[in-house]
Amino acid sequence: MSDLLELTMVLCRPLILCPLVLALLLAAPAVYAAQAPEPAPAAHPPTGRSAKGVGVVTEINAEEAVVTLRHEPIPALGWPSMVMPFHLASPDLLKGLKVGQRVAFDTREAEGLPEITAIRKP
């Protein structure tokens, strides 16, 4: 801070400019921080957590490749048993699925959303 004070004294020989120069020097870091560019997103976002689960199909939305399951707890993800929709990594995973069918599945978080990567009868 003493360097800032010395610079202010040198630049503020005429008394009228002192408050203005001091205000500019003190505001400069805030102005620079406000204009600093945001960091670029990672080229390859980190992969989400994955786990295996077991549940019962309660709804199938083939148009959006979404299946709703009433699943048992999934400790690896910290999830209690619940009913929730899952996006499917591939629409092909819908083949042979029926409402009421018990299934085992592999899931992962894809962009924060749960996604089923494999599904089978236990």
Side-chain angles (χ1 to χ4, degrees):
M1 190 65 156
S2 63
D3 290 337
L4 179 60
L5 185 55
E6 286 178 30
L7 180 60
T8 303
M9 296 307 256
V10 170
L11 295 174
C12 290
R13 297 245 184 243
L15 291 177
I16 259 182
L17 294 178
C18 284
L20 177 61
V21 170
L22 185 59
L24 289 173
L25 288 173
L26 293 174
V31 170
Y32 176 75
Q35 294 176 352
E38 294 204 15
H44 300 286
T47 306
R49 302 177 300 166
S50 61
K52 295 185 180 295
V54 176
V56 175
V57 178
T58 61
E59 186 178 336
I60 297 171
N61 181 337
E63 195 171 291
E64 294 183 21
V66 173
V67 63
T68 302
L69 301 175
R70 183 177 67 241
H71 65 77
E72 296 175 4
I74 303 176
L77 299 176
W79 294 353
S81 59
M82 65 177 112
V83 176
M84 63 184 291
F86 289 86
H87 294 273
L88 299 172
S90 167
D92 292 339
L93 295 172
L94 287 171
K95 291 180 183 173
L97 279 187
K98 297 181 177 137
V99 171
Q101 182 178 29
R102 185 168 173 78
V103 294
F105 59 95
D106 298 342
T107 185
R108 69 172 180 214
E109 291 177 331
E111 297 179 18
L113 301 172
E115 178 181 66
I116 290 180
T117 56
I119 193 163
R120 58 208 167 274
K121 291 182 185 177

